[in-house]
Every structure is written in C-alpha cells, then in structure tokens.
Amino acid sequence: MDSEVGGAESSNPKKQRKHKGKHDKPKPWDEDPNIDRWKVDKFDPSWNAGGMLEVSSFSTLFPQYREKYLQEVWPMVKTALKEFAVACELNLVEGSMTVSTTRQTKDPYIIVKARDLIKLLSRSVPAPQAIKILNDDMQCDIIKIGNLIRNKERFVKRRERLLGPNLSTLKAIEILTGCYILVQGNTVAAMGSFKGLKQVRRVVEDCIKNVLHPVYHIKILLMKRELAKNPALANENWDRFLPKFKKKNVQQKKVKTKEKKPYTPFPPPQPPSQMDLQLESGEYFLSEKKKSERKWREKMEKQAEKTAEKKKKREAAFVPPKENNATNEVGSSNANENSEVAAMAKSLKRKAKEFRNNQADGDVRAESYIANADQARPKKKKLSSKSD
C-alpha cells in the first residue's frame, strides 16, 4: 500500500503538498493588532552609513512656457534637494531638468522622489506644492488622459466636467480623497496617499471614458466616509449600502453615411480654365474697349433685375389678400340675416301704421263734420269789375 501511494504521489507531482520551510513558520508579530503594517518609518541615515556605490540620475523635458517660472523657483528646488544630498541641473538649451545622486546621498529611494519632483514641475505644479513630494508620506501619480478618447471636442467637454463650475467638482474630490489634483493639458497630476491616488485615478478615468459622472463618484465617497465611522460595519461588505447608478441611453445624432460611387480607374475630367471659357464665348478675341462695354452692359442688366425685384417686393405689401371661401360664406350668411331683419322691420312698421289708421276711423265724431249755425261763414269778396 505504501509503495502504491508513493507511486501515485510521484506520478502526480502537481498534487503534492508543498512543505513549509523554516522561514514559513508563523511569526509572533503576524497577528499583533498593535502593529501598523502600512506605516512608513522615516529614513535614518545610520541605516546606510556607507552611502551609494553608483550614481543614479533621471532627466525630464519641460515645455517652453514653463522656462521663466522654473528659472525663478530653481534656487528653492536646489535648496530642498540639497538637504537630501541630491544634485540637480536646469538646462535651458535642451529644455530639460536632471537630478542625480552624490557620494553623500544616504537614502536610496530619494532619487525616485527627486524624479517625481521634476515631473511635477514640468506638469505646471507650483514649486512649494511639488517639493512636498520629498516627504515619505506623500506619493504622486500623473494620469495621462489625452489618449483615452479620440474626439477632441468630447475630450474638452469631459475635462470641463471633471473640473465643474468654478472648480467645485475638483475641490470636492480633493476634500474627499485628501489629494492635491491639477488638471493641465492632456494629464492630471495628483499628490497624496496611495489610497487617495487610487480613488482619484478611478474618478478621472471614468469621467473621461464617460463611464460615470464625477458627481456620482462624490456621492459614493461621501457614503463610504459615513460608513467608515461605524465600527460595526468595518468587516462587512458595503455594496448593499452604496447606490447603483444606471446609465441612461441618450439618443445620439445619426451619422450621415456618404454613398460610395462606383470605382473608376480614370481620373475626373479637368474643369475648363478661364481662358477656355473666354475662347468658347468669343470674349478672348474682343478688344479692351468692347470687353469693358460688355461688362458694363451685364452690370446694368443685373442692376435692372435687382431694381425690379425690390420694386415687386415693395408693391407686394399693398396688394390686398385674397378672401377665402369660408369668409365669403360668412359674408353671404350675414347679408341674408340683415335682409331678413330689414323685411321684418318693414312689415312691423306697416302693421303699426294700419293699426293707427283703424283706431283713427273708430274715434270719428259727427259734430266735426256738421257745420255750426252760430258761426258766421266768411263772406267772399266780390271782384270789382273793370267797368266800375
């Protein structure tokens, strides 16, 4: 049985259990809660008393518009690097900055910090802020965003979205992540802790790629900050507390596709030149005087056409509009109604007149028609004869 088992183990070497060595044994400080494994101890020069054996150097280029500013702040940069025994050089001819170690340099990692310093200076970070990178608890990350999107207009809009109105979005991200952020051209320079830099990179890349708006990231970071205050939720998954934002499908403009013309190996015909057109019309053989007369005549014809058009437009304002059928019907119906009203009024007047006449006939008195005897009739004057 033992031989069979040994043969099976030898035939399947992948299934063999790896034996722990003497260095793989559990240490007493592995589970010590008082030890902070993320703490970065400050460098002590006694750890590397012999110094550096080889010279390490880094160089980076800077844009021309930064030349004047770098000349002004270079003494400050030189003084800051001198404390760590790092040499620096500003070359204005080549447009480059160089940092290198010396024999007095003790910290082997300080040259990497110096390299990050000149990179930040070339990306328009102010010198007082960039010098803070030399501290052990400060890290930096330069995020390249220029190659994440091809369309330049969209890139500019999304970069402005990252900044926000009056830089409000950028300031909110800085407060929540505890990092310094500077958006310059095609890069985003960030300075802070490792955790904050990781959050900043996610926010920037999601914004430029149009995955998630920075405002939603700010809401998530605010909720994470509140959840971190609760010690009961320290070892639990926070996904059930965080909001989930769905991307809305916005209708985009349809791209007009041009119809492909059938391929022909022959080039298109050459357009006629001005001389060819003059030869066809016969203008080429005319004298200068006739040419000028012809041009003047064409000019006057065009002027007359434009004058006629303008006159027509002015007269169009005084032409009465055509009446529609609906208005004609309304007018005819109104006329019929008016005629009916007039006929009714006429008949009423006639009836009223007849009624008054009948009433007058009923009130007739005989005395009015009998001559009064008492009254003397007027005597008629006798006409005197001509003979008298």
Side-chain angles (χ1 to χ4, degrees):
M1 290 291 290
D2 294 338
S3 62
E4 289 177 3
V5 173
E9 288 180 358
S10 61
S11 61
N12 297 327
K14 292 182 181 179
K15 293 183 180 180
Q16 289 181 1
R17 188 175 180 182
K18 186 178 178 182
H19 296 285
K20 288 187 177 182
K22 61 179 181 179
H23 300 293
D24 294 335
K25 293 177 182 179
K27 311 296 188 297
W29 55 81
D30 284 346
E31 297 179 0
D32 190 356
N34 298 324
I35 297 173
D36 187 7
R37 292 173 183 80
W38 290 101
K39 184 181 178 182
V40 179
D41 296 327
K42 191 175 181 180
F43 179 77
D44 189 359
S46 61
W47 297 348
N48 188 16
M52 309 294 289
L53 298 176
E54 295 290 338
V55 176
S56 301
S57 64
F58 291 100
S59 180
T60 184
L61 301 174
F62 60 86
Q64 191 176 4
Y65 62 84
R66 293 286 291 170
E67 183 177 333
K68 188 178 179 181
Y69 178 77
L70 290 173
Q71 279 181 304
E72 294 175 358
V73 300
W74 196 249
M76 186 198 305
V77 176
K78 203 169 185 177
T79 306
L81 290 172
K82 193 175 181 180
E83 295 178 6
F84 300 93
V86 176
C88 60
E89 182 187 355
L90 177 65
N91 193 339
L92 298 175
V93 178
E94 296 179 359
S96 64
M97 292 179 285
T98 308
V99 289
S100 59
T101 57
T102 60
R103 290 187 178 182
Q104 288 79 23
T105 307
K106 302 297 182 183
D107 188 358
Y109 193 71
I110 196 63
I111 188 63
V112 179
K113 293 277 191 177
R115 178 201 65 181
D116 294 341
L117 171 61
I118 59 176
K119 276 188 177 180
L120 292 170
L121 288 172
S122 65
R123 295 316 307 151
S124 299
V125 177
Q129 178 67 32
I131 289 170
K132 293 179 183 179
I133 197 64
L134 299 174
N135 301 332
D136 291 335
D137 58 345
M138 185 68 70
Q139 311 298 329
C140 78
D141 187 12
I142 296 175
I143 308 162
K144 295 180 181 179
I145 58 175
N147 56 356
L148 295 178
I149 185 170
R150 290 184 179 180
N151 194 335
K152 193 172 182 181
E153 293 180 359
R154 288 183 183 176
F155 170 74
V156 172
K157 284 183 181 178
R158 291 176 189 177
R159 188 177 61 183
E160 290 176 357
R161 186 187 301 169
L162 181 65
L163 298 173
N166 298 325
L167 303 177
S168 58
T169 308
L170 193 69
K171 288 176 183 175
I173 296 169
E174 284 182 347
I175 292 166
L176 291 170
T177 58
C179 296
Y180 169 81
I181 306 170
L182 178 69
V183 181
Q184 174 68 22
N186 293 332
T187 57
V188 178
M191 294 175 62
S193 61
F194 284 114
K195 185 180 178 182
L197 292 176
K198 189 177 179 182
Q199 292 172 344
V200 170
R201 178 173 277 274
R202 188 186 296 115
V203 172
V204 171
E205 288 182 351
D206 286 356
C207 178
I208 301 300
K209 291 178 181 177
N210 201 24
V211 176
L212 197 65
H213 200 279
V215 173
Y216 297 139
H217 272 295
I218 290 168
K219 289 182 180 179
I220 292 169
L221 290 171
L222 283 169
M223 294 191 73
K224 283 183 177 179
R225 175 183 277 191
E226 294 298 323
L227 290 168
K229 294 177 182 178
N230 191 353
L233 301 172
N235 298 323
E236 292 188 15
N237 191 4
W238 293 349
D239 289 342
R240 57 196 175 101
F241 301 109
L242 299 177
K244 294 179 181 179
F245 303 103
K246 293 182 180 179
K247 190 175 180 182
K248 296 179 181 178
N249 292 327
V250 182
Q251 190 174 3
Q252 297 179 352
K253 293 181 180 178
K254 294 182 179 179
V255 181
K256 294 181 180 179
T257 56
K258 294 182 180 179
E259 296 180 359
K260 290 186 177 180
K261 296 180 180 179
Y263 173 74
T264 54
F266 306 104
Q270 188 176 0
S273 63
Q274 190 175 1
M275 189 178 290
D276 294 337
L277 295 173
Q278 288 179 355
L279 286 169
E280 287 180 5
S281 61
E283 188 181 352
Y284 184 77
F285 303 102
L286 297 175
S287 61
E288 293 295 330
K289 187 177 180 181
K290 290 185 177 180
K291 285 181 182 178
S292 62
E293 288 179 359
R294 189 173 183 178
K295 285 182 181 178
W296 180 79
R297 201 182 304 114
E298 289 176 356
K299 186 178 179 181
M300 294 302 293
E301 287 176 1
K302 288 180 181 178
Q303 190 174 354
E305 288 177 2
K306 288 183 179 179
T307 307
E309 287 178 3
K310 289 180 181 178
K311 188 177 180 182
K312 193 175 181 181
K313 285 181 181 178
R314 287 196 299 270
E315 291 177 352
F318 300 100
V319 176
K322 294 181 180 180
E323 295 182 357
N324 298 330
N325 294 331
T327 55
N328 293 336
E329 290 175 0
V330 172
S332 60
S333 62
N334 292 337
N336 294 334
E337 289 177 2
N338 293 335
S339 61
E340 289 176 2
V341 171
M344 191 181 294
K346 193 174 181 181
S347 64
L348 288 171
K349 285 180 181 179
R350 191 181 71 252
K351 288 179 181 179
K353 190 175 181 181
E354 289 176 359
F355 178 75
R356 285 196 299 272
N357 292 337
N358 293 335
Q359 191 175 7
D361 293 340
D363 295 338
V364 174
R365 291 180 181 181
E367 291 85 357
S368 62
Y369 289 95
I370 297 171
N372 193 0
D374 297 334
Q375 293 179 358
R377 292 183 181 179
K379 293 180 180 180
K380 292 183 181 180
K381 292 181 179 181
K382 292 181 180 181
L383 293 171
S384 59
S385 61
K386 289 182 180 181
S387 60
D388 294 339

